[in-house]
Amino acid sequence: MLGLICKSLEGFVRDQHGDLQWERIRRAARLPFERFEALRIYDDAVLMDLVAATGGVLDRRQSPLLEDIGHWICTHRPLEPVRRLIRFSGTSFVDLLFSLEEIEDRARIALPNLHLPQFRVELTASDEFVVTSQWMVPGAAAVLTGMLRAMADDYGTLAIIERGGLSQDGDTVIETISVRVIEDTFHEPREFTLGGVP
């Protein structure tokens, strides 16, 4: 697993809870280093141990914690390029949903060692979607739920977004998210320009 993924969790903890809490989490996860290197490859078990340690130290259940991290990735001001990159997925929240199927391929073009979840999007009714994720560890659906809630607000869309079930097929963890779009233009979307940060 590319260190960039673990570094996102580290960044969230440091920003939201402080360096002291990160140090406690680092010790609880038995990490032999102080910081993750973004382009280094780590064993998948490192992320799982880190998530468990973070939940334990912060006294948080893992799924809500991962949702908060997903939301933070899309709303933390220094990570504005991530939010802008997501907004390039289309002019509406529905466009964004359908673009999820392309995320892994696009990411691998930029970073060949970055293995993101594979997403499949199914339209089950005129305003209802099921997003299925496949990844090597659990938690992808929780992070994506937080990101989608942030981006629905960004687009001005009223949507109900809920995590579904989890199953496993060999080494692959399969999770689902249900999305119901109530109103595309519920409120004014956040300002977005192609030329740069407004």
Side-chain angles (χ1 to χ4, degrees):
M1 178 171 297
L2 198 63
L4 184 63
I5 294 172
C6 298
K7 197 164 183 64
S8 297
L9 196 157
E10 176 190 340
F12 168 81
V13 171
R14 288 183 184 275
D15 178 68
Q16 298 292 299
H17 300 281
D19 292 341
L20 180 59
Q21 288 289 64
W22 169 251
E23 181 59 25
R24 290 173 177 158
I25 290 166
R26 187 183 71 80
R27 289 199 303 267
R30 299 180 180 178
L31 297 179
F33 45 83
E34 293 184 7
R35 293 179 179 268
F36 282 97
E37 297 176 26
L39 299 181
R40 181 178 171 185
I41 303 296
Y42 297 89
D43 190 280
D44 295 346
V46 171
L47 177 61
M48 297 180 70
D49 291 345
L50 182 60
V51 171
T54 303
V57 170
L58 300 181
D59 194 23
R60 296 283 311 278
R61 290 190 298 116
Q62 290 184 17
S63 290
L65 172 66
L66 293 173
E67 284 187 30
D68 285 352
I69 292 170
H71 192 276
W72 175 82
I73 288 170
C74 293
T75 56
H76 185 47
R77 187 65 180 176
L79 295 178
E80 175 69 14
V82 175
R83 174 243 171 190
R84 290 183 54 76
L85 185 62
I86 295 172
R87 282 295 295 263
F88 272 109
S89 298
T91 58
S92 72
F93 180 68
V94 171
D95 289 342
L96 167 62
L97 289 176
F98 282 118
S99 76
L100 292 174
E101 295 188 344
E102 305 168 1
I103 282 182
E104 189 197 26
D105 289 340
R106 288 182 179 180
R108 295 284 289 276
I109 291 172
L111 293 169
N113 291 324
L114 181 59
H115 297 279
L116 292 179
Q118 292 182 333
F119 297 112
R120 187 178 74 251
V121 181
E122 180 184 2
L123 179 63
T124 57
S126 61
D127 59 356
E128 295 180 5
F129 303 80
V130 173
V131 181
T132 302
S133 73
Q134 297 184 46
W135 208 29
M136 57 275 202
V137 296
V143 175
L144 181 62
T145 296
M147 295 179 76
L148 289 179
R149 286 177 177 159
M151 294 311 299
D153 186 63
D154 206 279
Y155 276 103
T157 299
L158 176 62
I160 298 173
I161 304 165
E162 298 178 320
R163 285 181 291 106
L166 180 151
S167 61
Q168 193 149 351
D169 182 6
D171 293 332
T172 302
V173 178
I174 302 169
E175 301 173 273
T176 60
I177 302 170
S178 65
V179 181
R180 183 181 176 199
V181 177
I182 306 297
E183 189 174 341
D184 263 328
T185 54
F186 181 68
H187 62 78
E188 195 70 24
R190 184 175 170 191
E191 187 175 355
F192 176 73
T193 60
L194 295 177
V197 179

